[in-house]
Amino acid sequence: MCQLVLPEMRRKGWGRIINVSSMGGEMTIPFASFYHATKYAVESLSDGLRIEVQPFGIDVVVIQPGGINTPLGHQTVAAIPTEMGSAYAEALRGFRHVSNLAIQAAQMMVTPDQVAQVILEAIQADHPLTRYKVNTNDTRTVNQERDVTDRQRDAAFRQQFGLTNPQS
C-alpha cells in the first residue's frame, strides 16, 4: 500500500502513513513468536520508511495497541494445541492458563473504539508522535522488559510456562 500512495504523497510534498503494529513488536513471549515476528517487521518497516520519506514532508506513525478486548483472544486461546504427546504439552497448558488469565482481565484491555480513537488522534495531530501506545497496562510490561537481561526474561518465561530441562 505504501508503494501505491508514496509517489502522490511525494509529489504533493506531504502525507501521513499510519501502520498498526502491536506492543508485541517490542517484546516476545513463548509460543507466539510468529505473531511477534510480524509485528517486529511492521516496526522495522515503519522506522526505516519514516527516515526515508521525512524529507518529502511525509510522516510515518506506528500505532501499538496492547491487549484489545475482542473475540479474537478467546479464539486464539481455543486454538492452542493440547496434544498430550507433545514435548511442549505442559508448557502449552501453562501458556493456555496465562492466556486465559489475561483474557479474564478484560477490564485491563482496551476496546476497538479506543484504538480507533488513537488512530484518529494520530491522523489529526499537527505534529504526530512516531509511536502511539494504546494500553497503559501493556506499556508497563514492555517497559519492565527493558529492565531485565535476556537471560533473566528467558528464565522467568521458562518458569512461568513450565519449560524445564526434560532430562532433569
Side-chain angles (χ1 to χ4, degrees):
M1 184 57 77
C2 292
Q3 290 177 331
L4 292 174
V5 299
L6 277 172
E8 184 65 14
M9 288 180 174
R10 284 192 300 262
R11 189 184 70 68
K12 289 184 174 184
W14 67 273
R16 186 161 303 161
I17 294 172
I18 299 187
N19 290 325
V20 178
S21 176
S22 165
M23 286 192 211
E26 292 193 37
M27 60 177 283
T28 304
I29 61 170
F31 305 109
S33 55
F34 286 111
Y35 169 82
H36 291 286
T38 65
K39 300 311 173 184
Y40 275 84
V42 171
E43 297 284 327
S44 180
L45 170 73
S46 300
D47 288 344
L49 188 60
R50 185 178 57 254
I51 296 164
E52 296 165 12
V53 300
Q54 187 279 327
F56 297 97
I58 302 167
D59 291 311
V60 177
V61 175
V62 177
I63 308 296
Q64 293 180 315
I68 303 173
N69 189 3
T70 68
L72 179 63
H74 296 287
Q75 294 165 358
T76 301
V77 172
I80 296 171
T82 57
E83 295 87 18
M84 296 312 296
S86 167
Y88 296 101
E90 185 170 332
L92 286 169
R93 275 196 304 276
F95 181 66
R96 181 185 290 270
H97 176 71
V98 170
S99 299
N100 274 322
L101 290 176
I103 289 170
Q104 290 169 8
Q107 71 275 10
M108 297 174 64
M109 295 181 174
V110 295
T111 66
D113 287 344
Q114 289 171 302
V115 176
Q117 184 60 43
V118 172
I119 293 170
L120 184 61
E121 178 184 330
I123 291 169
Q124 295 175 338
D126 289 336
H127 302 287
L129 302 172
T130 57
R131 279 181 176 71
Y132 289 79
K133 295 182 185 310
V134 184
N135 185 321
T136 57
N137 292 307
D138 289 334
T139 300
R140 278 193 288 278
T141 301
V142 168
N143 290 340
Q144 289 169 352
E145 286 273 314
R146 294 185 181 122
D147 294 335
V148 298
T149 68
D150 290 343
R151 300 268 187 228
Q152 290 170 324
R153 183 180 51 252
D154 293 353
F157 277 133
R158 279 194 306 274
Q159 180 180 11
Q160 183 177 20
F161 294 108
L163 288 165
T164 59
N165 185 341
Q167 307 304 322
S168 56

